[in-house]
Amino acid sequence: MRYGWLVYNSSLLTPKFLDYGKWMQRAAEAAGITLDLVLNSEVLVMIDRNGERKLRFPGHLHRPDFVHYADKDLHLARHLEATGIPLFNRSRAIEICDNKALMHTALAGSAVPVPRTIIAPKVFDGCVQGNDTFIEQIVGELGLPVIVKEAYGSFGEQVYKADTEERLRKLITEIGSKEAVFQEMVRSSEGKDVRLNVVGSQVVAAMKRTSEVDFRANVTAGGTTEPYDPSPEEEALAVLAAKVAGADFAGVDLLFGEDGPVLCEINSNPHIRSIYECTEVDVAPRMIEYIAEKVYR
C-alpha cells in the first residue's frame, strides 16, 4: 500500500487548514495513495536514555512512506527526518522560508535579486534596544519610506510601512525583541505583486495580486487576484529561489522592480485554494505526482 501522512498543527484547526488537508487527501486518493491527516501533537518526539530517537503515535496510524509536512513544528520535522522518513518540504526549507531574516541570509550570494535589506540587531527578551543610532543608518541606507517586516508572519499581517523616521522608531519599539528586517520600498510594485506556485523545477500556476487600498497586495490586506502569465525571467527566478531555499513546493512572491522581477518572499506552505479560485489550476495533483515520483520511482 502506498501510504503517507500530511502533518498539520493542532493549534490551527481552522477551516482554511482543514480544507487544505482534505484537498490534498483527495488528490492522493486519486493517485492511489492513502494519505492520513495527522496532528503534530499526535506524534511524540522521544529520545531514550541511551540517546536513541523514537516516535510514538496512535495505533490507527502506521509508519509512513513519506510525510507532506504542512506545519512549522521544526522539532518534529527534524525527528521524522532523522528516522529516515522523507519530508516534503524538508525541515531546513521550512526553517529558511519561515524566518525572513534567515531567508535573506540564505539567499545572499545566490544571484536572486531582492530589495536592499538590513537585518535588525538582536534584542533579548525582556530588554530594550540601548543604541538607536542604527536607526539613522537604516534611513541613510534605505531611504524613506522603509518597509519593516517581522521575521515571523503570514498573510502580510506583520509587514509595516514607515513613512517617517519617527514612525520607524515607534515600530522598532513596538516590535521589541522580535526578529525583523528592514527593506527599501520597491515603489514600482506598491500594491501589486505576483504569486507563482513552484512544484519541483516548474511553475505550475501564477496569479497577480493588486490592492488599491494598501501598499501590500495580499488578499487579506484588501487585494484582488487575476490569472497571470509569467515571463520566462519570472519563472526562472521563482524556480531558482525555491531551489536555493531547498523547497520542493513553494509559493514564491515577486515584485515588479524597475529593472525586472525582484523576490519578495518564499512560502514553504502555500495555501492552494486562492490560486485555484483565481486560475482554475489545481496544484494538489502536481504536488502528489511529484512526491510519488520521488518516493516510488
Side-chain angles (χ1 to χ4, degrees):
M1 177 179 72
R2 294 184 170 190
Y3 175 67
W5 290 354
L6 184 149
V7 171
Y8 64 116
N9 196 278
S10 57
S11 68
L12 293 174
L13 301 180
T14 63
K16 177 174 285 190
F17 286 93
L18 294 172
D19 173 63
Y20 180 83
K22 294 292 186 183
W23 196 323
M24 293 299 301
Q25 199 172 41
R26 291 192 296 269
E29 183 180 3
I33 299 172
T34 299
L35 187 67
D36 273 339
L37 305 185
V38 179
L39 297 172
N40 69 312
S41 58
E42 290 184 282
V43 187
L44 298 183
V45 170
M46 289 189 61
I47 302 169
D48 273 356
R49 290 176 180 174
N50 61 4
E52 183 182 355
R53 298 175 184 268
K54 291 187 177 180
L55 296 172
R56 290 290 183 265
F57 45 85
H60 69 277
L61 299 174
H62 307 284
R63 180 181 170 90
D65 302 327
F66 67 89
V67 173
H68 173 32
Y69 208 78
D71 192 16
K72 297 179 181 180
D73 184 337
L74 293 175
H75 297 294
L76 175 57
R78 292 175 183 135
H79 203 79
L80 290 166
E81 288 173 329
T83 61
I85 299 173
L87 263 63
F88 304 88
N89 283 310
R90 293 175 290 275
S91 61
R92 181 57 177 167
I94 295 169
E95 183 180 27
I96 288 172
C97 296
D98 193 35
N99 183 316
K100 294 178 178 63
L102 187 58
M103 181 192 74
H104 281 283
T105 300
L107 290 170
S110 67
V112 173
V114 298
R116 285 188 300 159
T117 300
I118 295 174
I119 297 174
K122 181 176 178 60
V123 176
F124 286 99
D125 289 344
C127 300
V128 295
Q129 177 58 255
N131 169 38
D132 64 359
T133 57
F134 78 96
I135 298 176
E136 296 176 5
Q137 291 179 280
I138 291 171
V139 175
E141 291 287 343
L142 305 181
L144 291 169
V146 62
I147 303 301
V148 182
K149 298 180 178 180
E150 294 181 26
Y152 296 99
S154 302
F155 311 116
E157 293 177 0
Q158 290 78 26
V159 178
Y160 319 98
K161 182 173 71 167
D163 292 298
T164 65
E165 186 174 319
E166 181 182 8
R167 170 63 173 159
L168 177 59
R169 289 177 181 273
K170 183 179 180 182
L171 282 170
I172 289 172
T173 299
E174 291 174 349
I175 289 172
S177 61
K178 297 175 184 176
E179 293 183 58
V181 298
F182 309 100
Q183 292 186 320
E184 65 176 336
M185 184 169 183
V186 181
R187 294 177 182 271
S188 54
S189 197
E190 183 171 4
K192 58 185 177 180
D193 69 9
V194 178
R195 160 64 62 87
L196 298 94
N197 273 70
V198 176
V199 176
S201 60
Q202 290 186 312
V203 172
V204 298
M207 65 181 177
K208 181 181 179 182
R209 303 184 295 194
T210 306
S211 175
E212 301 293 338
V213 297
D214 200 291
F215 72 96
R216 299 163 298 178
N218 304 74
V219 175
T220 51
T224 58
T225 64
E226 60 184 288
Y228 185 77
D229 184 17
S231 68
E233 184 181 9
E234 289 168 330
E235 289 197 10
L237 175 54
V239 170
L240 175 60
K243 181 180 180 180
V244 172
D248 299 291
F249 316 130
V252 180
D253 297 339
L254 302 182
L255 302 174
F256 296 96
E258 292 183 359
D259 300 316
V262 175
L263 179 74
C264 179
E265 64 182 59
I266 311 164
N267 303 274
S268 64
N269 294 322
H271 290 278
I272 57 178
R273 176 166 289 282
S274 58
I275 204 161
Y276 173 76
E277 291 177 345
C278 174
T279 66
E280 296 186 352
V281 176
D282 188 352
V283 179
R286 302 291 292 272
M287 295 168 68
I288 293 296
E289 179 183 344
Y290 176 89
I291 291 173
E293 182 179 335
K294 293 292 184 180
V295 175
Y296 301 114
R297 61 185 176 185

